[in-house]
Amino acid sequence: MRRLWPWSDDDEVADELAGEAAAAAASPDAEPVVPDPNAAAFFDVDNTLIRGASIYHFARGLAARKLFTFRDLAMFALGQVSFRVRGAENDDHISTAREAALAFVAGRSVDELVSLCEEIYDDKMADRIWHGTRSLALKHLDAGQQVWLVTATPVELARIISHRLGLTGALGTVAETEDGVYTGRLVGHLLHGPAKAGAVRALARKEGLDLSRCSAYSDSYNDLPMLTTVGHPHAVNPDGDLRDHAREHGWPIHDFRTGRKVTMVALPVAAGTGALVGGVAAGVALRRHHRGH
């Protein structure tokens, strides 16, 4: 019998040839991603990537660990119920929630907060991610583009959400620290409205991004500054004002909700111990407030 490889008696050489032959015959199922370093996608978090307000879910996690008082959770719940029913942000509720969060972190270490964020994301937030929005983010990653979260949520929590979803990174509200401990003050303002647009422009300068080639996704008309900063704005689960603006300007609209009327009617059942019980708590707190006056 004719030998194809006269030197095949040498096992080491034969193994090497077998490996080379296998590699030569291999064909990837898909072409590798070609990096696209000049383009990126920016995603809002609350009601765009995650159902409801991330800071409220964080507060629920703190309350479950007895690190938040009943009254604190009630304040968060009041804003959350309004947010879920009306599908729009309320600046007063957002400010109240952030102030409560700052009061909570004052005097705590960064490491402690990061550990809490990791636990609470897995426990309270992971199953609230809009799969449709995550798919949009993955398409940008598959195209070799960076994907950043841009949110008023504390940057520590935003980074964990980004990391868990395999995204590039996160831009969020930064709380001041000294020697690894929170002071209870912000560095600048909340990353909200025009501040988001400023953060996107700053990151573009840092990363060498061409904003005309970038995309942005949000549910809120309040994020119009960020949306108009990029060349490809998208509305996701939009509030009424943003939906009207998107239609007028021909922006893509992505809605992953089951329907506004259904959401409103089903809220008490779907909310369970979240918004429903929190709403009752808010009512109790408000009654106490009025009695006190």
Side-chain angles (χ1 to χ4, degrees), residues 148-179:
W148 292 82
L149 301 183
V150 188
T151 175
T153 291
V155 68
E156 292 82 2
L157 180 57
R159 284 172 179 161
I160 287 166
I161 297 172
S162 173
H163 179 71
R164 289 288 199 270
L165 297 179
L167 309 182
T168 306
L171 303 170
T173 296
V174 179
E176 182 184 79
T177 62
E178 292 181 358
D179 299 324

Side-chain angles (χ1 to χ4, degrees), residues 42-46 54 89 91 94-95 98 102 148-156 158-159 169-175 186-203 218 220 222-223 225-226:
F42 302 96
F43 284 80
D44 172 52
V45 173
D46 294 350
S54 53
E89 295 177 353
D91 288 341
I94 290 171
S95 295
R98 299 306 187 268
L102 284 172
W148 292 82
L149 301 183
V150 188
T151 175
T153 291
V155 68
E156 292 82 2
R159 284 172 179 161
L171 303 170
T173 296
V174 179
L186 292 180
V187 177
H189 298 291
L190 292 172
L191 200 68
H192 188 251
K196 285 188 177 182
V200 167
R201 288 192 294 268
L203 185 71
S218 179
S220 175
N222 291 328
D223 283 340
M226 178 180 74

